[in-house]
Amino acid sequence: MSETLENLSSETRQFPPPADLAANANVTAEAYEEAASDRLAFWAKQAERLTWAKPWHQILDWSNPPFAKWFVGGELNIAYNCVDRHVEAGNGDKVAIHWEGEPGDTRTVTYAELLKLVSQAANTLTDLGVTAGDRVMIYLPMIPEAAVAMLACARIGATHSVVFGGFSVDALATRIDDADAKVVITADGGYRRGKPSALKPTVDEAVARGDRIEHVLVVRRTGQEVAWTAKDKWWHETVEQASPTHEAQPFDSEHPLFILYTSGTTGKPKGILHTTGGYLTQTSYTHHAVFDLKPETDVYWCTADIGWVTGHSYIVYGPLSNGATQVMYEGTPDTPDRGRFWQIVDKYKVSILYTAPTLIRTMMKWGDDIPAKYDLSSLRVLGSVGEPINPEAWIWYREHVGRERTPIVDTWWQTETGAIMISPLPGVTAAKPGSAMTALPGIGVEVIDDQGQPVPNGGGGFLVLTEPWPSMLRTIWGDDKRFIDTYWSRFEGVYFAGDGAKKDEDGALWLLGRVDDVMLVSGHNISTTEVESALVSHPSVAEAAVVGAADPTTGQAIVAFTIPRGNVDTAGEAGEALIKDLRNHVAKTLGPIAKPRQIMLVAELPKTRSGKIMRRLLRDVAENRSLGDVTTLQDSAVMDLISSGLKTAK
Ligand code: 6R9
């Protein structure tokens, strides 16, 4: 981006919180004032949500920026905070996890049972020689053992690194190597799309590439045949036979909790390091504040995979530290049919649902009649994370899932931020569809131009974080220099998030996608998000991805890949007419500068495992290049489909 980002769209709809929710909300508007008057005191108060074995003597040490220390001198045990203390408070029989396997098998794990399992796993890891500071890789499907394994590591002070089940041998082997891990926890396989999908062969190959891994713990989930090596141990023959008592030791507030790798588009993956006290404080507080969680009555469901930071912060650490009852689902949303999510909401009476825009747009594509078949009246708060949510997808979510009653919290954050940073509060904010609205209490956010100056309302630029926050990444594992270069060097004294954003006339924040994706068309910086949202606002479109492709006259030209809604006819002339209509629709909505040069109708878009559109690959297609790095692509067949579709279209 050379100057500021063009502000093309304008959205005027606004939805105030329901009166009863506002009247009983966990967090009110006062929190903003409190945090504004003394930010550090505000965070110190939130840290009191946790049980500390030793109190801290300093809230924040920022004497050596950008290396932060929060709650200095304090000690606590994360697993104790997420499990033991709820049992000690008499809530042992309370359900922690309603687990739903893809084939329909279920398990109910109470807090007392969770304590037993975590203690057993902690004892087993200790028996295998894992001690505080060692790294353990976790490569599991969405089964309760995934949460158990993470908590067991945290309990003994081992640093976990979860890798998406289904990532390639290469991806796993690089991460094992970079983290210098000693143990891998995996399973024979998991269920995906109605059949068992193997995990163990990938682990075998990745482990054989190095000599670091000493033991592999294997959960039996599918019962499929597995090869066995001298390093392997069955979970049910070790963990489930181990002593169910384990005394949790406290660790320093800055003790490393986990490393989570973000793919990045170039170079080797970055190991984002999170530590203990500040991370748990902010995940716990934000889960309480943003979802208005009432642990006695709510049933919470986050549909993320634990291989994504959302699974770490909002399936494991946030909800469990708050004593929530939650649903955990193993499989895909269309198995056995496209109503599976709504059937789960109906069955468990889910009251808080946290999912991703990609899913909402997929549901839009599948049709309104599917959610309409289910009783969704238990829902009271809906959340979104992972990408900008297009205003039309937001409205669809509210109408067809929230039945026009529920507030929607669009939560902006990153692996690096550890917890939610920008979001409405469901009992306070009158939210606008498509906007993440404002920084949470205690968080400093600004949108700046390329000179580092804050843009006025109505302007767009770079999103930065102006104050250190408790759950911030502490560094990139083993690479302090890259940490400084990537996040703290572009602008003096602030954290550069890599996202474009704008402030509307009221100062509300609109996220506009990664700045690497911004298009430069005839001298105008145009965000992919605004053009995609304009396309999605057309009644025939479910999903769209937009890229800037090199163009001899305009520098870059807008190329759009568009998925039509389920019932739309795209054959022959109807398809041609739709494309023409869509180009005009964008020009009408955003202005002629945003009119796509080319629109292709496609059946799927390339996405990461966490559901983000991989525009980089589409740019390769649009510019007739061979595809770059595809290791984090969810489904590699998608690119073949798009490329061959384009060839036949030409
Ligand atoms: C939690 C997570 C981070 C990037 C981030 C941004 C995008 C996430 C968003 C959003 C607009 C939201 N992003 N939430 N963009 N609105 N509500 O997604 O972490 O996988 O590290 O991705 O995702 O571009 O910079 P991570």
Side-chain angles (χ1 to χ4, degrees):
M1 261 186 290
S2 56
E3 288 167 0
T4 62
L5 208 48
E6 220 62 39
N7 177 11
L8 298 173
S9 65
S10 61
E11 171 64 61
T12 52
R13 292 169 286 189
Q14 200 157 7
F15 298 84
D20 56 334
L21 201 155
N24 299 299
N26 286 352
V27 175
T28 63
E30 238 172 88
Y32 294 105
E33 290 160 36
E34 209 185 308
S37 79
D38 190 341
R39 207 177 75 84
L40 292 183
F42 171 83
W43 282 118
K45 184 173 151 197
Q46 307 319 323
E48 299 292 354
R49 304 175 56 77
L50 310 179
T51 304
W52 295 76
K54 189 176 154 212
W56 62 85
H57 57 75
Q58 189 183 3
I59 302 167
L60 168 67
D61 176 357
W62 191 235
S63 58
N64 179 30
F67 300 95
K69 292 194 180 108
W70 279 87
F71 309 115
V72 185
E75 290 183 4
L76 72 167
N77 186 285
I78 290 234
Y80 175 83
N81 272 279
C82 291
V83 189
D84 306 42
R85 65 173 178 155
H86 306 313
V87 178
E88 287 172 10
N91 290 323
D93 292 339
K94 188 178 172 188
V95 175
I97 301 173
H98 287 292
W99 178 78
E100 175 96 6
E102 197 189 73
D105 50 336
T106 60
R107 277 164 72 184
T108 310
V109 184
T110 63
Y111 274 95
E113 284 158 352
L114 191 60
L115 176 58
K116 177 175 175 226
L117 285 165
V118 171
S119 300
Q120 289 180 309
N123 283 323
T124 300
L125 288 173
T126 305
D127 288 347
L128 295 179
V130 179
T131 57
D134 286 344
R135 270 82 54 209
V136 172
M137 305 304 289
I138 298 176
Y139 186 76
L140 283 170
M142 285 294 289
I143 53 178
E145 284 79 4
V148 170
M150 290 163 75
L151 290 165
C153 289
R155 193 175 187 89
I156 63 169
T159 303
H160 60 69
S161 185
V162 182
V163 176
F164 266 119
F167 265 11
S168 66
V169 173
D170 269 344
L172 182 58
T174 330
R175 286 158 176 75
I176 290 175
D177 183 59
D178 188 77
D180 194 6
K182 214 171 175 175
V183 168
V184 183
I185 304 177
T186 187
D188 48 0
Y191 288 92
R192 278 197 88 74
R193 301 222 143 75
K195 47 180 193 294
S197 144
L199 290 175
K200 177 98 180 359
T202 308
V203 174
D204 290 345
E205 234 187 284
V207 167
R209 285 210 191 158
D211 53 9
R212 296 163 201 273
I213 297 295
E214 294 168 17
H215 303 283
V216 179
L217 261 180
V218 189
V219 178
R220 190 157 68 194
R221 163 65 184 131
T222 56
Q224 64 203 111
E225 195 76 33
V226 289
W228 209 246
T229 79
K231 293 180 178 177
D232 299 339
K233 299 199 166 46
W234 282 115
W235 175 280
H236 59 269
E237 289 175 356
T238 51
V239 175
E240 288 172 17
Q241 311 305 323
S243 157
T245 55
H246 179 275
E247 182 133 5
Q249 302 298 316
F251 291 98
D252 188 87
S253 180
E254 284 300 331
H255 188 78
L257 174 63
F258 67 84
I259 302 168
L260 186 59
Y261 287 86
T262 63
S263 51
T265 45
T266 50
K268 71 171 191 180
K270 300 191 281 281
I272 304 301
L273 178 70
H274 282 287
T275 60
T276 299
Y279 173 79
L280 198 64
T281 296
Q282 196 175 329
T283 50
S284 172
Y285 171 70
T286 51
H287 184 256
H288 160 85
V290 172
F291 300 106
D292 192 45
L293 177 90
K294 310 280 197 260
E296 307 76 32
T297 46
D298 274 316
V299 178
Y300 166 85
W301 182 23
C302 168
T303 68
D305 189 286
I306 53 135
W308 183 21
V309 71
T310 306
H312 285 58
S313 301
Y314 297 103
I315 293 178
V316 180
Y317 296 112
L320 295 177
S321 67
N322 289 335
T325 292
Q326 68 178 315
V327 171
M328 183 178 187
Y329 173 54
E330 179 186 32
T332 44
D334 51 355
T335 308
D337 60 57
R338 292 173 167 182
R340 186 63 184 271
F341 268 31
W342 314 125
Q343 178 252 329
I344 292 175
V345 169
D346 193 346
K347 174 174 173 186
Y348 294 101
K349 302 294 162 220
V350 171
S351 55
I352 304 170
L353 178 68
Y354 192 27
T355 193
T358 176
L359 234 135
I360 298 161
R361 293 186 302 249
T362 302
M363 301 289 181
M364 284 168 73
K365 179 173 74 177
W366 289 345
D368 309 349
D369 52 316
I370 298 173
K373 286 186 213 138
Y374 297 86
D375 178 4
L376 305 182
S377 59
S378 54
L379 289 169
R380 66 179 198 93
V381 177
L382 303 177
S384 172
V385 59
E387 287 185 299
I389 177 165
N390 323 95
E392 274 333 297
W394 195 105
I395 293 286
W396 187 92
Y397 195 21
R398 183 177 157 94
E399 217 174 284
H400 296 279
V401 181
R403 309 273 154 91
E404 318 252 17
R405 291 175 295 105
T406 58
I408 294 180
V409 288
D410 172 14
T411 64
W412 179 90
W413 57 295
Q414 308 177 297
T415 307
E416 292 87 341
T417 70
I420 299 171
M421 304 293 281
I422 307 176
S423 169
L425 288 176
V428 179
T429 318
K432 301 179 183 184
S435 169
M437 301 302 293
T438 46
L440 288 181
I443 298 299
V445 167
E446 193 44 273
V447 181
I448 60 178
D449 62 21
D450 57 355
Q451 302 302 309
Q453 295 307 309
V455 304
N457 285 356
F462 302 93
L463 184 78
V464 294
L465 304 172
T466 55
E467 303 280 358
W469 62 100
S471 64
M472 65 196 281
L473 76 165
R474 297 307 194 256
T475 189
I476 292 176
W477 179 251
D479 201 343
D480 287 348
K481 183 172 179 301
R482 193 172 178 201
F483 169 59
I484 296 169
D485 291 349
T486 311
Y487 306 107
W488 302 94
S489 299
R490 179 118 181 209
F491 300 104
E492 176 78 29
V494 295
Y495 170 92
F496 170 54
D499 282 1
K502 69 176 189 188
K503 295 183 198 165
D504 70 14
E505 296 306 332
D506 304 324
L509 295 166
W510 296 73
L511 278 304
L512 298 178
R514 303 295 294 168
V515 294
D516 301 340
D517 291 332
V518 166
M519 304 172 290
L520 187 58
V521 183
S522 306
H524 296 267
N525 288 297
I526 297 176
S527 96
T528 52
T529 303
E530 292 203 315
V531 182
E532 287 164 6
S533 289
L535 285 162
V536 174
S537 74
H538 188 283
S540 298
V541 175
E543 187 150 29
V546 160
V547 298
D551 185 277
T553 43
T554 55
Q556 280 188 319
I558 301 176
V559 177
F561 298 78
T562 304
I563 305 182
R565 290 210 195 191
N567 53 352
V568 176
D569 180 14
T570 58
E573 275 173 33
E576 296 297 317
L578 175 60
I579 287 171
K580 194 167 159 222
D581 193 26
L582 291 178
R583 292 183 68 226
N584 292 332
H585 176 75
V586 174
K588 206 172 93 208
T589 315
L590 301 179
I593 184 72
K595 187 173 185 170
R597 178 186 76 186
Q598 202 179 355
I599 294 184
M600 336 225 193
L601 302 178
V602 294
E604 293 291 345
L605 291 169
K607 289 180 187 159
T608 64
R609 279 296 302 262
S610 63
K612 293 187 210 298
I613 298 172
M614 295 178 78
R615 291 181 191 75
R616 177 170 59 78
L617 298 182
L618 294 172
R619 213 176 301 133
D620 291 341
V621 171
E623 296 183 339
N624 293 314
R625 259 194 314 277
S626 57
L627 295 186
D629 183 7
V630 290
T631 45
T632 57
L633 187 62
Q634 150 115 41
D635 175 1
S636 53
V638 168
M639 286 318 293
D640 300 338
L641 204 70
I642 292 175
S643 310
S644 66
L646 297 185
K647 279 193 202 97
T648 48
K650 270 176 196 161

